Amino acid sequence: FMTSWGPSFYQESFGTRPEDAKLALSLPPLINIAIKMLVSSPLEGLLRARLRFSTLQCRRFFTVSGFAGGSLALLLLPAASARGGSAGATACFSIANAFVALHPAGFKANYMDVTSASAGAVTGIGNTFASLASFAGPHLVAYVLRRYGSWAPVFAMLAMLQLLAGAGFLLFSTTTPVD
């Protein structure tokens, strides 16, 4: 969302041109990278050592936490924008991206859990679904913006989709190899 619609959001909501929103547009991805590099592995080690989480429990924890935390940040974004302007929006986008950074230790790593002989094919199928969402998402956002004239329904829709994805992974994920 940030790469596709972030510049438009800042321009429409705050009158900030993309070239003037360098920090607002770069901070969320930087926080995402920092979480991936500094938090995910130590947190997984803690979950395994202290709480005796299995691989599946770790995958579910990271995936559901990523989707739920990202959803909450997106739901808070309209209020944070109204109260704190672009700084409030940037804080929410940064928090959302911090939670999304948990996904590589969750569902993305799960591809390797379910197959060893066909990891490339399984990853390719998963990435195909992600690409379809990446194609359809901007069109859906444009439709919602035209229909409602507000960003709030966009963030609510994104939050709902993330919660559905998290629930689906929680209910149906496995680490049992298929081959």
Side-chain angles (χ1 to χ4, degrees):
F1 175 85
M2 277 295 293
T3 54
S4 301
W5 286 98
S8 297
F9 171 77
Y10 281 95
Q11 175 73 47
E12 292 174 19
S13 299
F14 310 112
T16 306
R17 299 176 330 179
E19 56 270 24
D20 297 327
K22 291 180 184 106
L23 181 62
L25 295 172
S26 62
L27 189 59
L30 290 173
I31 289 179
N32 180 286
I33 291 168
I35 296 296
K36 286 176 184 170
M37 291 175 54
L38 303 172
V39 175
S40 293
S41 287
L43 181 55
E44 183 172 358
L46 179 77
L47 292 172
R48 287 178 181 277
R50 296 251 172 100
L51 300 177
R52 306 254 186 239
F53 272 32
S54 67
T55 298
L56 181 58
Q57 288 171 315
C58 284
R59 301 289 186 250
R60 286 178 174 170
F61 173 83
F62 282 108
T63 298
V64 172
S65 297
F67 282 128
S71 294
L72 180 60
L74 290 175
L75 288 172
L76 294 174
L77 204 145
S81 296
R83 261 190 104 98
S86 63
T90 301
C92 285
F93 280 132
S94 296
I95 292 166
N97 272 285
F99 278 102
V100 168
L102 300 176
H103 288 167
F107 72 86
K108 290 182 179 180
N110 191 243
Y111 293 150
M112 303 309 150
D113 297 330
V114 297
T115 183
S116 55
S118 304
V122 171
T123 301
I125 291 167
N127 288 343
T128 298
F129 285 115
S131 295
L132 291 173
S134 293
F135 169 77
H139 298 288
L140 185 57
V141 168
Y143 170 78
V144 171
L145 283 172
R146 274 193 313 273
R147 175 112 201 265
Y148 298 102
S150 170
W151 287 92
V154 170
F155 297 128
M157 174 189 66
L158 293 171
M160 180 199 64
L161 290 171
Q162 287 193 53
L163 290 173
L164 286 173
F169 191 85
L170 182 65
L171 295 172
F172 301 112
S173 60
T174 183
T175 54
T176 304
V178 295
D179 54 12

